[in-house]
Amino acid sequence: MNLVFKRGSILSFLLFFSIIYQSAAQAISGRVIETGGKGIENANITVFNATDSSAVKYGVSDKEGYFELTNLSNGVFIIKVSCIGHQTQLLNNIKFNSASVKLSDIILGAQLKELRGVTIVQKPPVLQRKVDRLIFNLNSTIMANGSSLFEALRVAPLLTVSDNSVSMVGKGSMGVMVNEKLINLSGTDLTNYLKTLRSENVEKIEIITAPPAKYEAQGNAGLINIVLKKNESLGWRGSLSSSFMQQTYTSYNNNLALFFRSKKVSSSFTFNQSNNHGIIVESNDITGQPNPILSNGQRVTTTPNLQASLSIDYEVNKHNNIGFIYNISDSKAHIISNNKSSFNTSNTVDSVLNTTAEISRPLFTQTLNIYHDLKIDSTGKKLNSSVNFFTNKPEIRNNFISESENTYATVRNNSFSKYNIWSIQSDLTLPYKWATIETGVKYAIFNNSADVEYFNYVHENFLLDNTRSNEFNYTENNLASYFSMESELSKKWTAKAGLRYEYTMMDGYSPTLDQRNKRNYGTLFPTTYIVYKANENDVFSLNYSRRINRPGLNFLNPFAFYSNIYSYSIGNPLLLPSYSNNMELSYLYKGMFSFTVSTQHTSDLFSAITTVKGPSVVSMIENYLSQDNLGVYASFNRALFKWWDNSSSATFFFVSSKSKIKNIPTHNGASASFSVNNSFKATPKLSFYVNYRQTLPSTNGNVYTYSQSNLTTGARLRLLSNNLIISSSFFLGTVSKYDIYFSDFVQAIKTDYDYKTFNLGLTYLFGRSKVSGNNKNISFDEKGRVQK
C-alpha cells in the first residue's frame, strides 16, 4: 500500500508539472497600480471575448502589481481589472494577433462613497463568508487602532481570549497562521508573539473551524489566519513595549519587535523577556467511598523566559523567493509545592501525609524552517517547498519529602526527554478560470527518547529504584498527500472539496521492560464545503470534515511520574488515535449576525482514568469514550454608534456519551455560555473596553463542570502622534471547579489560578508605520504533539 501511494504521488506531480510548464510565446502583460503609483497585489484580471462577452482567461497580479496572461488565441478582447477596496477598470477593444501585447499601467482609484456631501472610503462589513472560512474585518472596528493583536482578538467571533491564552469555541486546540503560514509557537511564546503584532497592521482575521485538506488532519483543532495589510513601505519600523502585571505576586513582560523591508529583502526580529510569578491554590478530594482521601495545597511558580525569532526572506528574482525562520526559547520554571492529604475512615482521620516539593522545569526549544517559493507564472501558479526542524529537551527535576506519623520518605523523581522532529513538504497551487487546484505532499519524522528516574534517600545517599524507573524510545513516521479543488459554480454558488491521505508508522520500545509496540495505519480524510449567496444580505454555508487525534508523545511512555509516594500518573503505549466526523451549517446576515449549527461524532476518545487502591491514587490514559455533540453558536458584531462597537455571542452544546469501561458512568448533558464585549472610543486618543463572559454548569461524559465567569476592563491612551500607547486593564475571574464521577467514588477538583489581575503597559512605536517585514511562517503542525 505504501509503495503504491508513493508511486501515485510522484505520477500526479509529474502530470501537474507537465501541465503548468506548457506556455506560448504570445502574452498580454501589464501592471496594476494605485493612484500614487504603488503596485496592487491580487488584483483580478479577466479577459472577455468582445464578440459574445464570454470569459476566456483569468489571472491575478503579483505583489508588485505585475501580471501576464498567456495562451490567448487571436481576436478582440475586453479586459476587466478589479480589486476589493478599489474602483474597477474596463479596457475595451484590445486586439491580439499572435504578438505579445504590453499594456500601459492600469490605475485603480480607491472605492469611494458619497454620504451627505462628504466623501469617505467604503469599509467592508465586519463579517464576511468565504467558502472555507469566516472573515472578521478587524480594520472595520474600533479595536483596529492602538491595541496589540492579542487584545484585539477579544472581539472576534468564535474566539475566547482569557487572561493569557486564546482558544476557539468548541475546539480542543487552535493553530495560528500569518498570511496562510502556521506560526511555530505555542503557549506563552505564542501569546507573547501576538502581543508584538499591532492591530493597525492587521487587515482581517480569517476563522477556520474546519481546516481544508491542505492542513494536517491532526486534532479537533481550528485555525485562525492573520492577514496583514498590504500597503507596505520600504525601510524599517519597530516597537518596544513593557507591561507590569500584579496578582498576589508581581510579573513583567518586555517585547522588542523590528521589521525591515527593501526591494529584495524582508526581515523581522522579535525578542521577549518575561518573568511570571504566580500562585495556584488547589484541592483534589476523593469522596463517596468508605475511605475518603482529601487533598489540598498550593504551588508558587517562578518562570523566567527568553524567546527570540529571526525571519529573513530574499527575492532572488520575480519568480523565486528563498528564506529561513529561526525560533529559540529558553524557560526555567521553578515551583515550590506544599500539599496535605488526609486519609479517612468514614468521618475519622486515620493519617495525614504532608508533601513538600521543589520542582525545576528547564525547557530549551529551537525551530528552524528553510523554504523556497516558486511563482510559476503571473496567473498565480506557485510551488512552495520547505524543510523544517524542531528540537526541545524538557526536563523535570522533582525533589519531594512525604511524611506522616508513621512514614518519612525523601524522593528524587526526575524525567528527561529529547524530541527531534523533521519534516519536508511541498505545496502546489494551480488557479484556473474554472477552478483553483491545490495539491501537495509531506513527510515527517518524530524521534523521542525519555528517561524516568526514581531515587530513594537511604543512609545519606540517593539510591536508584529500578522498579520505578524506565527508559522509553519512540519513533514515528508520517507520510501525507492531499488534493483539493475550489470552484465558483455561479454568482450564487461556490464549492470546495478535498481529500487528504495520511499513513503512520510508529514504534515504541522500553529497554527496561524489553517491551515493543509497533503499529502502521493509513486513513483518508475528506473535506467538503459549499456556500450559497442568496443576496447581498443572506449567505448560507455547509461543510464536512473528518479528523484524527493522535495521543501526545508523553502519553505513550508506560512508566510513572510521582507527585507523592502514593500518587502518580502513568502513560499507555497501547493508546489508539481517536477519529471524529464533523458537520457545520452556518448563516450570515448583513455581515453582522452569524448563526452556526454543528454536529460531531467522535470514537475512541482517550482521557485520564483515576483508580484508588488503599492510599494509592493512580491516573492512567485510556481509550474509553465515544461521543455525539450537537452545538449551536450565534454572534453579533456591529458598530452601534460611531463611538461604540459591540461583539456578543452565545453557545449551546448537547453531548451524548458512551463509555467502554463499566466503572465509568456517563450521562447526557448540556453546556451553555455567553459573552458581551464592548469597545468605546471616547476621543480620537482615548478608548476603553468592557468584556464579560459567563459559562453555565455543564455535564460532559462523566465530568460535571461548575459555572465560571470573568470580567475584563481596560483603557488605551495614544500620545506623541499615536506613537506612544499607555494601556491598563483589570481581569477578574472565578475558580475552576469540576467533579469526575466513577462507579465507586467522585473526584472533586478545584483550582484557583489567582484570577484577579491588574496590568499596566507602555508601548512605543518607531520607524515607518507601513513596513511589514517578513511575516512568512511555515506549516509545522507536528510540534503540537510535544507536551511541554
Side-chain angles (χ1 to χ4, degrees):
M1 178 64 184
N2 192 14
L3 181 60
V4 173
F5 172 69
K6 290 181 179 179
R7 289 178 176 175
S9 300
I10 294 172
L11 289 174
S12 65
F13 262 81
L14 291 175
L15 175 60
F16 280 121
F17 279 119
S18 68
I19 294 173
I20 62 178
Y21 278 109
Q22 292 177 0
S23 62
Q26 298 82 19
I28 291 180
S29 60
R31 190 181 186 218
V32 186
I33 62 174
E34 296 177 346
T35 305
K38 178 176 174 56
I40 299 176
E41 184 180 4
N42 290 329
N44 299 310
I45 298 94
T46 309
V47 179
F48 298 93
N49 191 310
T51 304
D52 58 8
S53 298
S54 61
V56 296
K57 200 71 175 177
Y58 169 80
V60 294
S61 59
D62 62 18
K63 67 180 179 180
E64 300 295 334
Y66 291 102
F67 67 89
E68 184 179 30
L69 306 178
T70 60
N71 296 330
L72 285 166
S73 58
N74 296 340
V76 180
F77 302 100
I78 300 171
I79 300 179
K80 177 183 176 182
V81 184
S82 63
C83 186
I84 294 176
H86 296 80
Q87 297 174 341
T88 299
Q89 285 276 24
L90 289 177
L91 307 179
N92 297 309
N93 299 320
I94 304 298
K95 297 181 180 179
F96 188 79
N97 56 0
S98 300
S100 296
V101 174
K102 183 172 178 59
L103 303 172
S104 301
D105 287 351
I106 303 167
I107 303 174
L108 301 185
Q111 187 177 6
L112 303 178
K113 180 180 180 181
E114 290 290 326
L115 181 59
R116 294 183 182 178
V118 179
T119 301
I120 63 172
V121 177
Q122 177 74 36
K123 282 189 176 182
V126 177
L127 300 178
Q128 292 176 304
R129 168 63 67 180
K130 282 189 176 180
V131 67
D132 59 358
R133 61 198 67 190
L134 181 68
I135 311 300
F136 174 67
N137 289 303
L138 177 62
N139 203 35
S140 298
T141 69
I142 291 176
M143 295 294 289
N145 291 293
S147 66
S148 71
L149 178 60
F150 180 79
E151 294 173 320
L153 289 176
R154 295 183 188 275
V155 298
L158 287 163
L159 301 184
T160 301
V161 180
S162 65
D163 191 34
N164 207 33
S165 64
V166 184
S167 59
M168 184 173 291
V169 174
K171 300 296 177 182
S173 60
M174 186 188 74
V176 178
M177 301 186 290
V178 173
N179 293 341
E180 282 288 339
K181 301 299 180 182
L182 275 164
I183 295 174
N184 296 308
L185 298 173
S186 59
T188 303
D189 289 339
L190 174 59
T191 299
N192 291 334
Y193 175 79
L194 294 175
K195 291 178 179 179
T196 66
L197 294 179
R198 303 302 305 168
S199 60
E200 297 90 340
N201 300 312
V202 176
E203 180 180 344
K204 58 187 176 182
I205 309 294
E206 298 182 343
I207 301 165
I208 309 169
T209 56
K214 180 178 180 178
Y215 305 106
E216 301 293 320
Q218 167 65 25
N220 177 29
L223 292 171
I224 64 169
N225 180 38
I226 302 163
V227 180
L228 301 175
K229 292 180 180 177
K230 298 184 176 67
N231 52 343
E232 302 160 354
S233 300
L234 301 183
W236 64 280
R237 72 170 174 90
S239 67
L240 183 64
S241 65
S242 182
S243 63
F244 159 91
M245 184 173 69
Q246 183 64 53
Q247 295 175 292
T248 299
Y249 299 102
T250 300
S251 302
Y252 63 85
N253 191 311
N254 301 311
N255 288 293
L256 171 67
L258 297 172
F259 305 91
F260 173 77
R261 183 175 180 84
S262 68
K263 291 184 177 179
K264 290 285 188 180
V265 176
S266 298
S267 63
S268 63
F269 172 76
T270 62
F271 175 78
N272 171 264
Q273 185 257 337
S274 62
N275 192 337
N276 295 314
H277 192 186
I279 183 171
I280 301 173
V281 179
E282 55 195 347
S283 63
N284 189 340
D285 297 337
I286 295 175
T287 61
Q289 62 172 3
N291 301 310
I293 302 174
L294 307 180
S295 176
N296 62 82
Q298 69 175 30
R299 289 178 283 154
V300 177
T301 63
T302 304
T303 311
N305 183 71
L306 296 174
Q307 186 267 330
S309 176
L310 175 63
S311 174
I312 297 178
D313 181 277
Y314 177 68
E315 183 180 331
V316 179
N317 52 49
K318 72 175 186 177
H319 292 292
N320 292 274
N321 280 60
I322 57 173
F324 74 90
I325 306 163
Y326 177 64
N327 292 309
I328 186 171
S329 177
D330 187 17
S331 174
K332 292 181 172 63
H334 185 259
I335 303 168
I336 299 296
S337 174
N338 293 284
N339 179 269
K340 182 176 74 172
S341 297
S342 299
F343 301 90
N344 303 272
T345 300
S346 298
N347 296 321
T348 303
V349 177
D350 289 339
S351 63
V352 175
L353 181 71
N354 291 293
T355 301
T356 301
E358 182 175 359
I359 306 168
S360 63
R361 301 185 66 172
L363 176 64
F364 183 73
T365 300
Q366 297 181 85
T367 307
L368 176 64
N369 315 108
I370 302 173
Y371 64 85
H372 172 242
D373 296 336
L374 171 65
K375 297 178 182 178
I376 297 166
D377 60 23
S378 61
T379 65
K381 294 184 178 72
K382 58 184 179 180
L383 179 67
N384 306 111
S385 303
S386 67
V387 177
N388 313 296
F389 174 70
F390 168 82
T391 183
N392 76 349
K393 299 177 181 180
E395 300 180 17
I396 303 176
R397 300 177 183 271
N398 182 15
N399 298 315
F400 66 86
I401 297 174
S402 290
E403 57 181 327
S404 65
E405 292 182 357
N406 303 316
T407 303
Y408 184 90
T410 300
V411 174
R412 178 174 293 169
N413 189 198
N414 299 331
S415 173
F416 306 97
S417 298
K418 182 177 181 180
Y419 297 94
N420 288 323
I421 304 176
W422 288 89
S423 79
I424 182 170
Q425 68 185 85
S426 191
D427 300 286
L428 179 65
T429 303
L430 303 169
Y432 297 104
K433 64 180 181 181
W434 49 273
T436 297
I437 294 173
E438 292 180 311
T439 187
V441 293
K442 185 173 187 178
Y443 182 62
I445 303 172
F446 297 79
N447 283 306
N448 170 228
S449 58
D451 189 3
V452 176
E453 300 174 336
Y454 189 101
F455 296 88
N456 291 301
Y457 191 71
V458 181
H459 303 305
E460 299 184 352
N461 290 299
F462 280 100
L463 301 179
L464 181 67
D465 185 345
N466 289 314
T467 64
R468 299 184 178 187
S469 303
N470 179 55
E471 293 181 41
F472 184 68
N473 299 313
Y474 181 83
T475 60
E476 182 177 302
N477 297 297
N478 287 333
L479 181 63
S481 180
Y482 72 91
F483 179 90
S484 73
M485 180 183 298
E486 178 181 341
S487 179
E488 186 174 333
L489 305 177
S490 67
K491 291 183 179 180
K492 292 181 178 292
W493 292 92
T494 304
K496 181 174 182 176
L499 187 64
R500 184 180 184 91
Y501 179 78
E502 295 186 0
Y503 188 77
T504 301
M505 298 160 281
M506 54 170 288
D507 183 4
Y509 177 63
S510 169
T512 309
L513 301 175
D514 192 22
Q515 175 181 307
R516 168 164 265 125
N517 295 284
K518 299 180 69 174
R519 187 182 306 118
N520 299 342
Y521 57 93
T523 312
L524 289 169
F525 300 96
T527 54
T528 57
Y529 312 83
I530 190 163
V531 169
Y532 173 64
K533 187 176 181 180
N535 50 55
E536 291 298 322
N537 295 330
D538 303 289
V539 181
F540 300 85
S541 65
L542 178 68
N543 70 64
Y544 164 80
S545 63
R546 187 168 189 257
R547 309 282 297 176
I548 185 174
N549 189 19
R550 300 179 182 90
L553 302 188
N554 65 329
F555 286 174
L556 300 169
N557 192 327
F559 254 64
F561 193 81
Y562 287 75
S563 55
N564 61 46
I565 56 174
Y566 297 130
S567 301
Y568 59 91
S569 59
I570 187 170
N572 183 358
L574 300 179
L575 276 182
L576 299 173
S578 65
Y579 294 89
S580 64
N581 290 278
N582 313 274
M583 185 172 290
E584 292 180 353
L585 175 64
S586 299
Y587 168 65
L588 178 63
Y589 175 69
K590 283 191 174 182
M592 64 178 182
F593 175 75
S594 67
F595 182 82
T596 300
V597 178
S598 63
T599 64
Q600 181 185 75
H601 173 75
T602 307
S603 59
D604 288 326
L605 270 171
F606 50 83
S607 187
I609 297 176
T610 301
T611 57
V612 180
K613 297 179 180 179
S616 296
V617 180
V618 181
S619 176
M620 183 175 181
I621 308 294
E622 292 275 6
N623 296 99
Y624 70 93
L625 272 179
S626 63
Q627 282 189 345
D628 289 285
N629 294 357
L630 173 65
V632 178
Y633 175 84
S635 72
F636 175 82
N637 297 76
R638 183 177 172 82
L640 301 179
F641 299 97
K642 186 177 180 180
W643 49 272
W644 180 5
D645 281 358
N646 177 267
S647 171
S648 301
S649 66
T651 62
F652 173 83
F653 286 94
F654 178 80
V655 182
S656 173
S657 305
K658 292 183 180 180
S659 173
K660 296 179 180 179
I661 300 177
K662 291 183 179 180
N663 71 334
I664 301 181
T666 58
H667 302 278
N668 297 339
S671 64
S673 65
F674 66 89
S675 65
V676 181
N677 304 307
N678 294 284
S679 303
F680 304 94
K681 188 175 182 180
T683 71
K685 300 292 184 181
L686 176 64
S687 61
F688 59 96
Y689 58 89
V690 179
N691 304 325
Y692 178 77
R693 179 174 178 82
Q694 176 73 54
T695 302
L696 302 180
S698 63
T699 298
N700 187 340
N702 64 324
V703 180
Y704 176 83
T705 304
Y706 293 81
S707 64
Q708 195 169 5
S709 63
N710 61 67
L711 173 70
T712 307
T713 63
R716 295 183 302 275
L717 177 64
R718 296 186 291 169
L719 302 171
L720 301 180
S721 300
N722 296 329
N723 288 324
L724 180 65
I725 302 169
I726 303 173
S727 62
S728 64
S729 65
F730 178 73
F731 178 85
L732 178 63
T734 55
V735 299
S736 169
K737 184 179 178 182
Y738 58 95
D739 297 337
I740 307 175
Y741 288 87
F742 298 90
S743 59
D744 49 357
F745 66 89
V746 178
Q747 185 175 15
I749 299 173
K750 181 180 178 181
T751 309
D752 184 352
Y753 290 98
D754 201 5
Y755 278 139
K756 187 183 291 184
T757 307
F758 173 74
N759 196 303
L760 181 64
L762 188 68
T763 300
Y764 180 67
L765 310 177
F766 52 89
R768 296 188 176 185
S769 62
K770 294 183 180 180
V771 176
S772 70
N774 180 25
N775 292 292
K776 184 183 182 72
N777 285 277
I778 304 299
S779 173
F780 198 11
D781 313 273
E782 288 76 16
K783 287 179 52 182
R785 293 176 59 209
V786 176
Q787 307 294 322
K788 294 185 178 182

